[in-house]
């Protein structure tokens, strides 16, 4: 067996042999400790009580207690019992009568039953209580973990439970198209030959359609001008009234140097009514527009109306990861005083 330094982190391993890596790590730890706290390094204690048969004897900072000596005594007693029983078992067939063997078996059964009733042999009352408390803590930890997993599954949105999923539909459609192509002697690259005229026109129309503006493109001049043309597409313009208004007002197109700059010209009542109707229709279209979103029925209700629900979602996106622990503690009741 090689040499193992007592200050090595693997010194408790009986099969470990310290090499240059271990020595470098020990020296680096000492140097770092001396730089941070010069008075803290005192080395392992010189006067300590350690039994050579203790399993923690290789730890330079370990002092054997009453528990260690009791474990060592129990181990020695078990070893002595094993040594005495081995020769007796080997010569039991020739030197022990069947009645004695039956009596020994009965006594062993009684000892095993007593140990089973006790449940914790070779333990004091305090150690038994401590062990039982540790078992209860483990059970509580396991139950808490299971509850957290169940809560996470409940909070996650459910998958598609009704109908056929989109992936399965696409896979079935691809198989069906493949069979048709094979029957006609074509490959997958010529699948467009199976499309009807209506399907082809719908595809071309979809390709010609420009994509919707995204990001900062929503506010550029071209997008704003397209939106203006879309709003004024259905407005009827009376060119005769427009020309008459230009003729009657010499400053119809006012400049910044005009004395009437900022003055509102007279607008006919039908035009005002038409503008009001257009604004109302736009507002109704905006209210009717909504993107399709999955509705989770199992999610907890934390809002009083649709507007409050939308606001809560925005707050959750911004601060949800910072307040998750506080929210969970309040829901479980662990953050409330007794």
């Amino acid at each position: 067996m090689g040499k193992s330094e007592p200050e090595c982190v693997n010194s408790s391993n009986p099969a470990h042999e310290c090499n240059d890596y271990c020595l470098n790590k020990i020296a680096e730890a000492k140097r770092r400790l001396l730089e941070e706290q010069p008075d803290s390094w005192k080395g392992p204690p010189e006067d300590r009580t350690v039994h050579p048969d203790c399993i923690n004897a290789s730890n330079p900072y370990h002092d054997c207690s009453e528990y260690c000596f009791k474990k060592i005594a129990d181990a020695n007693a078990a070893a002595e019992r094993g040594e005495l029983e081995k020769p007796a078992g080997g010569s039991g067939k020739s030197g022990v009568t069947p009645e004695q063997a039956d009596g020994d078996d009965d006594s062993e059964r009684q000892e095993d039953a007593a140990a089973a009733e006790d449940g914790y042999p070779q333990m004091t009352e305090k150690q038994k209580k401590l062990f039982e408390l540790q078992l209860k803590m483990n059970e509580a930890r396991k139950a808490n973990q299971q509850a957290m997993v169940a809560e996470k599954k409940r909070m996650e949105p459910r998958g598609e439970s009704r109908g056929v999923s989109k992936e399965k539909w696409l896979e079935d459609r691809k198989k069906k198209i493949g069979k048709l192509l094979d029957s006609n002697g074509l490959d997958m690259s010529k699948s467009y030959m199976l499309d009807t005229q209506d399907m082809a026109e719908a595809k071309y129309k979809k390709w010609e359609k420009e994509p919707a503006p995204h990001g900062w493109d929503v506010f550029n001049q071209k997008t704003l001008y397209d939106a203006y043309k879309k709003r004024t597409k259905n407005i009827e313009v009376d060119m005769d009234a427009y020309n008459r208004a230009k003729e009657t007002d010499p400053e119809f197109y006012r400049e910044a140097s005009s004395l009437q700059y900022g003055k509102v010209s007279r607008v006919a009542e039908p035009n005002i009514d038409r503008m009001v109707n257009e604004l109302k229709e736009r507002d109704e279209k905006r209210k009717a527009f909504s993107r399709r979103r999955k509705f989770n029925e199992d999610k907890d209700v934390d809002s009083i109306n649709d507007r409050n629900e939308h606001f809560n979602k925005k707050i959750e996106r911004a601060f949800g990861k910072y307040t998750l622990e506080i929210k969970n503690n309040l829901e479980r009741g662990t953050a409330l005083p007794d």
Side-chain angles (χ1 to χ4, degrees):
M1 184 180 295
K3 184 179 179 182
S4 177
E5 294 292 334
E7 298 173 0
C8 181
V9 293
N10 299 317
S11 59
S12 59
N13 187 357
H16 175 70
E17 297 180 6
C18 286
N19 52 16
D20 295 338
Y21 177 78
C22 299
L23 299 177
N24 292 334
K25 294 296 287 184
I26 293 170
E28 184 180 354
K30 287 182 180 179
R31 184 171 59 256
R32 190 185 305 111
L33 186 62
L34 288 174
E35 290 176 357
E36 295 176 356
Q37 299 177 359
D39 298 334
S40 63
W41 175 256
K42 298 180 182 179
E46 299 179 357
D47 299 334
R48 59 194 187 100
T49 305
V50 181
H51 197 281
D53 294 337
C54 182
I55 58 175
N56 297 319
S58 60
N59 187 353
Y61 299 97
H62 175 70
D63 285 336
C64 286
S65 60
E66 183 180 356
Y67 176 77
C68 299
F69 293 119
K70 183 173 179 57
K71 295 290 289 183
I72 294 169
D74 293 339
N76 293 334
E80 290 177 0
R81 286 197 302 270
E83 292 176 359
L84 293 175
E85 290 172 359
K86 283 180 182 179
S91 60
K93 293 181 180 179
S94 59
V96 180
T97 61
E99 292 79 3
Q100 293 176 350
D102 294 338
D104 294 339
D105 293 340
D106 294 339
S107 62
E108 289 179 0
R109 292 195 195 95
Q110 292 177 1
E111 291 178 358
D112 294 341
E117 290 178 359
D118 189 4
Y120 312 110
Q122 302 177 358
M123 278 193 183
T124 61
E125 293 296 330
K126 292 183 178 179
Q127 292 174 351
K128 291 178 183 178
K129 290 182 179 179
L130 179 61
F131 187 67
E132 291 175 355
L133 289 175
Q134 289 176 351
L135 290 178
K136 291 181 180 179
M137 288 175 61
N138 293 335
E139 292 177 359
R141 189 183 298 109
K142 186 177 180 181
N144 191 15
Q145 186 72 16
Q146 292 176 353
M148 290 177 63
V149 172
E151 182 181 359
K152 184 178 180 181
K153 288 182 179 180
R154 188 173 66 253
M155 295 295 291
E156 290 178 352
R158 297 185 302 175
E160 297 181 3
S161 58
R162 293 180 295 179
V164 183
S165 63
K166 189 175 182 180
E167 295 180 359
K168 191 174 185 304
W169 179 80
L170 290 174
E171 186 177 355
D172 296 341
R173 184 171 178 271
K174 190 174 181 181
K175 289 181 180 179
K176 191 181 297 183
I177 292 174
K179 290 180 180 179
L180 292 174
L181 292 173
D182 293 339
S183 62
N184 295 323
L186 302 174
D187 56 356
M188 189 60 71
S189 62
K190 296 183 179 180
S191 59
Y192 61 88
M193 298 182 69
L194 300 176
D195 295 341
T196 61
Q197 183 180 357
D198 296 336
M199 294 172 63
E201 290 179 356
K203 280 185 179 180
Y204 295 149
K205 190 177 293 184
K206 188 175 182 181
W207 292 342
E208 292 174 358
K209 185 178 180 181
E210 295 182 0
H214 178 70
W216 291 105
D217 294 337
V218 178
F219 304 104
N220 58 24
Q221 295 297 324
K222 183 179 181 302
T223 306
L224 295 176
Y225 180 65
D226 292 341
Y228 170 77
K229 288 196 299 182
K230 185 176 180 181
R231 291 181 61 186
T232 57
K233 182 173 61 175
N234 299 325
I235 297 178
E236 297 179 0
V237 180
D238 190 357
M239 296 302 298
D240 296 336
Y242 177 73
N243 293 328
R244 286 196 302 271
K246 283 199 302 182
E247 292 175 358
T248 56
D249 190 357
E251 293 187 359
F252 186 79
Y253 298 108
R254 297 183 179 87
E255 298 179 355
S257 59
S258 175
L259 298 177
Q260 296 182 357
Y261 182 77
K263 182 180 178 182
V264 179
S265 59
R266 185 176 180 182
V267 183
E269 291 294 332
N271 295 341
I272 297 176
D273 296 338
R274 188 168 55 196
M275 182 190 67
V276 172
N277 293 332
E278 192 271 337
L279 291 175
K280 288 182 179 179
E281 291 177 359
R282 186 184 179 193
D283 192 19
E284 290 176 358
K285 288 182 179 180
R286 187 184 292 112
K287 289 181 179 179
F289 175 76
S290 176
R291 290 182 295 167
R292 291 183 177 271
R293 295 179 177 88
K294 290 185 178 180
F295 180 72
N296 186 10
E297 297 179 354
D298 297 335
K299 187 178 179 181
D300 296 335
V301 179
D302 56 354
S303 58
I304 57 176
N305 50 34
D306 294 339
R307 187 174 181 182
N308 182 244
E309 182 181 1
H310 183 65
F311 178 77
N312 291 344
K313 288 181 180 178
K314 293 168 65 176
I315 294 294
E316 181 68 21
R317 286 198 299 268
F319 306 103
K321 60 182 180 180
Y322 305 108
T323 59
L324 179 62
E325 185 176 357
I326 299 174
K327 186 177 180 180
N328 292 338
N329 290 337
L330 290 173
E331 290 179 352
R332 296 192 189 99
T334 55
L336 301 176
D338 296 336

